Amino acid sequence: ALPAALHDVMFFGRCLILGRNNVVSQYPLNKRPYIGPTSMDNEVGFLMSNLGLAAPGRLVYDPFVGTGSLLLPAAVHGALTMGSDIDIQVVQHGKQGRGGRRVDVWSNFSEFGLPPPVAIARFDAHM
């Protein structure tokens, strides 16, 4: 029940989700082959993807792609994805994953059967 002070108050907003959306739990961070210390929380990635209106026919570009934590939820929503990063290790080489196999951003997409990013490039705006 609401406190007495709030009974005469109206709130206006846009409902983004009702209840516990199962899609968030289908793509847990700990099941992704390629993660790092700055990988975005799963729930935050899906919230940002929702707020960015990711959908089929739309393009989502992440200028700081890292491990792809924002692009993965956008791909789940059907958007084309594209990213860039200053770190050549992220873009080209990835890292040694579990079991000794080489993993990178694309590994996360193939792990869940999602379409891979259109492109991931190395960008540096340093002048």
Side-chain angles (χ1 to χ4, degrees):
L2 290 173
L6 293 180
H7 280 287
D8 297 328
V9 177
M10 290 186 169
F11 294 94
F12 292 92
R14 179 177 173 200
C15 180
L16 295 178
I17 187 171
L18 291 173
R20 179 82 175 141
N21 192 345
N22 205 14
V23 73
V24 174
S25 60
Q26 291 176 356
Y27 303 93
L29 199 57
N30 65 348
K31 298 289 185 207
R32 297 180 192 176
Y34 185 55
I35 61 170
T38 60
S39 292
M40 187 184 308
D41 248 4
N42 198 26
E43 292 85 358
V44 175
F46 274 95
L47 281 171
M48 289 178 69
S49 182
N50 260 342
L51 290 170
L53 302 177
R58 301 254 171 115
L59 174 69
V60 174
Y61 171 70
D62 183 358
F64 311 104
V65 72
T67 60
S69 297
L70 179 57
L71 295 186
L72 193 107
V76 170
H77 288 128
L80 293 172
T81 58
M82 186 177 193
S84 63
D85 205 289
I86 193 171
D87 187 356
I88 192 69
Q89 192 72 21
V90 167
V91 176
Q92 194 171 29
H93 306 295
K95 68 178 188 178
Q96 201 76 8
R98 298 178 210 125
R101 75 172 218 220
R102 176 81 42 211
V103 293
D104 54 23
V105 176
W106 289 273
S107 304
N108 289 340
F109 288 83
S110 62
E111 177 73 21
F112 296 109
L114 295 169
V118 174
I120 295 180
R122 183 191 181 274
F123 284 165
D124 183 356
H126 183 78
M127 296 280 215

